[in-house]
Amino acid sequence: MNEQSNLSELVAATPSTANERFKRSFSSWFWGSITAAVVLHFAVFEFWPQMQTADVSITADQMEVVAPPPDVDIPPPPEAIRRPATPVISTAALDEDLTIETTTFDTWTTDDLPPPPEEAETADISQAPQFVVHTVKPKMLNQDEVNRVLQREYPALLKDAGIGGTTTVWLFIDEAGVVQNQIVKEGSGHAGLDAAALKIVTVARFSPAQNRDKTVALWISLDIKFEAN
């Protein structure tokens, strides 16, 4: 008995190591850490700012509903073309002596001929421009005289202002080469120049137009050009 008490006193008197002291204090450190962690988590959830996710939803316009096209009535197929009828050979008897009478000019007479057609009145081609068949065109014979008349008839106001232009004139030339009618085909843009052009062409003389060996009257187109110096 004395020996056991002595052994207990000896163990109690022996100094404890650091590991032993750590083992004895582990329980207090463990529960203290758990308590601190719980308190810290509650504090974080309580005082942490509230955060919300941004609205990233997508909106789209309402789609327009397109009505389907109407049903198309397909016409029925065309009727089949009828086959040609099968020819039938006739059983009619023909006279073997059938002939055509010989035709000669001996029995032909002019007694029953219809009267000849009345000759149509010749149209007056001098009233409006139209095409006349010809083989030789007319040529101007007095170009110098026409140029002098052009300078004389050139409107002074337009000439002094430097205004010029070209007037295209229709001319009806008879079988003698004389101008019998004149019409403005395309104006110059100035009434004064067009009126002067109609006066100028009256003095023009031409060689007659011909259709083979015959002189003909016809229409021609002539440009009258006014140039201010």
Side-chain angles (χ1 to χ4, degrees):
M1 189 72 181
N2 293 329
E3 291 180 357
Q4 291 181 352
S5 60
N6 293 333
L7 183 60
S8 299
E9 293 177 358
L10 179 62
V11 172
T14 302
S16 61
T17 62
N19 188 22
E20 293 176 350
R21 290 195 300 272
F22 176 75
K23 289 180 179 180
R24 287 195 299 268
S25 64
F26 173 76
S27 178
S28 59
W29 281 103
F30 174 77
W31 290 110
S33 300
I34 293 299
T35 303
V38 171
V39 173
L40 180 61
H41 278 75
F42 274 104
V44 168
F45 286 114
E46 180 67 23
F47 299 103
W48 195 262
Q50 299 294 326
M51 301 180 66
Q52 296 181 354
T53 58
D55 186 7
V56 293
S57 59
I58 299 175
T59 58
D61 296 337
Q62 185 177 3
M63 298 181 61
E64 182 179 358
V65 178
V66 179
D71 296 335
V72 178
D73 295 335
I74 301 176
E79 297 181 359
I81 300 176
R82 296 181 179 179
R83 296 176 59 87
T86 304
V88 179
I89 300 176
S90 175
T91 58
L94 298 177
D95 188 358
E96 296 181 357
D97 297 333
L98 181 63
T99 58
I100 300 176
E101 183 181 359
T102 303
T103 302
T104 63
F105 290 98
D106 296 337
T107 59
W108 184 77
T109 63
T110 60
D111 296 338
D112 298 332
L113 293 179
E118 297 180 359
E119 294 184 359
E121 296 182 0
T122 304
D124 186 6
I125 64 173
S126 64
Q127 298 304 314
Q130 55 185 288
F131 176 74
V132 177
V133 178
H134 61 282
T135 57
V136 178
K137 296 180 179 180
K139 295 182 180 180
M140 185 179 293
L141 303 177
N142 58 340
Q143 183 67 54
D144 294 338
E145 182 181 1
V146 172
N147 290 337
R148 290 193 297 270
V149 176
L150 187 149
Q151 295 299 326
R152 185 178 68 240
E153 296 294 336
Y154 197 150
L157 293 177
L158 297 177
K159 186 176 182 180
D160 295 341
I163 298 175
T166 301
T167 302
T168 304
V169 182
W170 283 114
L171 300 180
F172 179 71
I173 304 173
D174 62 10
E175 292 85 347
V178 180
V179 177
Q180 298 293 343
N181 195 3
Q182 58 275 356
I183 302 174
V184 175
K185 176 183 179 182
E186 185 176 353
S188 62
H190 299 280
L193 298 181
D194 297 340
L198 294 178
K199 294 180 181 179
I200 294 168
V201 296
T202 58
V203 302
R205 296 293 180 268
F206 296 87
S207 61
Q210 292 184 344
N211 183 21
R212 295 186 179 181
D213 58 348
K214 181 181 178 181
T215 58
V216 293
L218 79 172
W219 288 87
I220 68 170
S221 176
L222 182 66
D223 292 338
I224 306 297
K225 189 174 184 179
F226 297 90
E227 293 181 346
N229 297 328

